[in-house]
């Protein structure tokens, strides 16, 4: 039996897409939301009749039900949401997937976060949790469109090797994903900002691009 | 006859690697250096006897001989070098490939540049030039090892579409490279910082990774 995963703010497109693909990979997912009824409704509507292990709960209860908790809230609600959840998130692996971005008429703009990145802000707010960053670059559109194969690497950074290994293994439960260790948590701002480059490229090429690293053999990862 | 390209600071590994591959693709390259003799020596040693269109010159003369000029100096010398070359670089397309990085015992660290990025620093120093950024992620080792196929996209950002098109076409003179428009020059810091993530990954996986964007059809680029 695979441990469940919670996705806070999981009713948005990215959260729903990840929930669907994790569940297809056999990972039970608790979709979290500020509104328990909305979470349950989204969970029930993702693949009705397929018997997938999807449920919904208010964010704090979702956090309590899982050891790995993804944070997929909008950047605007990031700080407030995590400040309120420090207690239920204590002792958990928290994977921040949030991109601190805004948009103007020329496209996406990266925002400077005083702590260095959204993930480092999370680490500051959640002293009892192990915080990692990852899953920033997976197209919600492709995750939600099951006629489309996912074709991307998922980069994960963090300072705890064992925690990172668990998150990389989780990423690979999504068919088509390769999990890649992208170094320490201080690299999180690079992964977050890269999303803005991808969104610029998506705008320029009318696509939803993913990322693959070439000339990389996962078997050569340092122990 | 293809227009020549100059590479300032072209005697380093990245500059030599690009020079070799451009020349193999039929692009004449003038390698620039602070030391004209050193530049000529490097140009002569890259593929001796192959008759490649490689030459060397002091940086200012290299800049005068080309319409497209790549800046491949170490970050430490970036500001000083460009300040001294504003006149020979006026009217040119200047492609900044410099990564503002340093290293500590945990690997690469991105540096904050007051202008936003190395490329935007170049733009501030070179008001008479059209400045773009690109070629940050191409492994020098792979460029210099001709037994190894280059397998990467080259991302280029800039605010002048016609200039960007010329640089993308130049990138594709390297066999195995696909040139991708990565948006406006304000995205340069993202491309520069991404190098630090790649170097972290290279360290973790003992490799020299490249980047390919997936689910992107170049024919769908917006006009």
């Amino acid at each position: 039996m695979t441990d469940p995963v919670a996705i806070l703010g999981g009713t948005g497109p990215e959260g729903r897409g990840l929930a669907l693909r994790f569940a297809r990979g056999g990972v039970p997912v608790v979709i979290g939301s500020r509104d328990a009824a909305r979470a349950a409704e989204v969970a029930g509507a993702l693949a009705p009749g397929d018997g997938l292990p999807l449920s919904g709960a208010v964010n704090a209860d979702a956090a309590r039900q899982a050891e790995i908790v993804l944070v997929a809230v909008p950047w605007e609600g990031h700080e407030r949401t995590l400040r309120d959840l420090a207690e239920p998130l204590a002792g958990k692996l928290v994977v921040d997937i949030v991109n601190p971005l805004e948009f103007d008429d020329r496209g996406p703009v990266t925002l400077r976060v005083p702590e260095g990145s959204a993930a480092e802000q999370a680490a500051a707010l959640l002293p009892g949790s192990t915080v990692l960053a990852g899953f920033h670059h997976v197209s919600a559109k492709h995750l939600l469109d099951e006629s489309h194969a996912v074709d991307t690497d998922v980069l994960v950074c963090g300072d705890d090797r064992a925690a990172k290994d668990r998150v990389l293994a989780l990423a690979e439960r999504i068919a088509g994903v390769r999990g890649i260790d992208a170094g320490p948590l201080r690299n999180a701002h690079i992964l977050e900002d890269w999303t803005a480059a991808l969104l610029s490229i998506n705008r320029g090429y009318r696509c939803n691009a993913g990322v693959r690293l070439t000339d990389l053999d996962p078997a050569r990862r340092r122990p």
Side-chain angles (χ1 to χ4, degrees), chain A:
Chain A
M1 180 64 186
T2 304
D3 291 332
V5 166
I7 306 180
L8 308 185
T11 58
E14 191 74 26
R16 286 189 289 125
L18 289 169
L20 176 61
R21 298 288 188 155
F22 284 140
R24 289 275 184 226
V27 181
V29 180
V30 186
I31 292 178
S33 168
R34 284 175 297 180
D35 177 343
R38 168 84 180 132
E41 179 195 345
V42 165
L46 264 179
D50 284 10
L52 292 182
L54 290 160
S55 60
V58 75
N59 279 327
D61 289 339
R64 288 194 183 90
Q65 292 177 46
E67 276 190 67
I68 302 183
V69 181
L70 274 64
V71 180
V73 299
W75 167 243
E76 294 69 29
H78 185 262
E79 182 171 0
R80 188 186 61 247
T81 302
L82 294 182
R83 196 180 293 283
D84 290 346
L85 295 173
E87 181 273 319
L89 288 172
K92 312 288 187 177
L93 304 195
V94 175
V95 186
D96 204 309
I97 78 168
V98 174
N99 297 301
L101 301 177
E102 60 184 15
F103 292 84
D104 66 15
D105 60 344
R106 301 175 71 208
V109 185
T110 59
L111 298 176
R112 288 280 161 89
V113 180
E115 294 84 354
S117 60
E120 288 159 293
Q121 182 185 82
L125 292 166
L126 305 173
S129 309
T130 301
V131 176
L132 305 95
F135 294 96
H136 306 85
H137 315 129
V138 194
S139 160
K141 182 163 181 285
H142 289 166
L143 289 170
L144 284 166
D145 174 5
E146 296 198 78
S147 72
H148 191 288
V150 175
D151 179 16
T152 195
D153 290 347
V154 162
L155 278 60
V156 177
C157 65
D159 295 333
D160 180 312
R161 169 73 178 228
K164 196 153 48 178
D165 287 349
R166 290 184 63 188
V167 177
L168 293 171
L170 172 66
E172 296 194 343
R173 298 296 286 264
I174 299 175
V177 160
R178 183 173 65 162
I180 300 289
D181 178 354
L185 192 67
R186 71 180 185 192
N187 286 353
H189 76 96
I190 307 173
L191 305 188
E192 295 171 8
D193 287 356
W194 181 252
T195 306
L198 277 185
L199 292 174
S200 271
I201 290 165
N202 288 349
R203 178 179 158 125
Y205 291 90
R206 296 178 274 214
C207 66
N208 293 275
V211 178
R212 286 285 190 198
L213 299 180
T214 57
D215 286 309
L216 182 156
D217 176 0
R220 285 180 54 77
R221 187 172 172 216
R222 283 187 201 279

